[in-house]
Amino acid sequence: MIAISSDHAGFDLKTEIIEFLDRKGYQSKDFGTCDKNSVDYPDFGLAVAEAVASGECESGIIVCGTGIGISIAANKVPGIRAALCTNSFMAKMARQHNDANILALGARVTGSGLALDIVDTWLQTEFLGGKHKIRIDKISSIENKYHK
Ligand code: RB5
């Protein structure tokens, strides 16, 4: 199950991504927002981050205007590695090297054709493990140092 959310700026792209996931046979759970009325992106980053961190959903996709604010918010939740990607190479690396469990997109930055290719790449790419796992573990150590 893929958790997905956006603020008002990301609403249209989120809707396209949900339809894309559906066509590709992925199940998704929509954590809002549900229209283009102005909302606060941290609320929606948090909802998806908590769904992923708790294990309710395996991964997540979050969208705001730039992808910056919502990814900053999601990354405050321990266990979350949200990667803001503006191209498909970044999406591939975010999975292979960083084991990103949330993909963040900026609807005012990235056109929908490219955004869907980024989503597709991110979904199809596996974590490489090995030396990259050691580095992920170091990120977890930073979390443990500050989240007691
Ligand atoms: C909303 O206007 C905008 O600030 C938000 O979507 C996002 O870009 C924040 O980082």
Side-chain angles (χ1 to χ4, degrees), residues 17 19 117-118:
I17 294 170
E19 288 165 4
D117 194 62
I118 290 170

Side-chain angles (χ1 to χ4, degrees), residues 7-10 38-39 41 63-70 108:
D7 71 354
H8 53 287
S38 185
V39 291
Y41 58 79
V63 191
C64 70
T66 59
I68 296 171
I70 202 163
R108 292 174 178 162

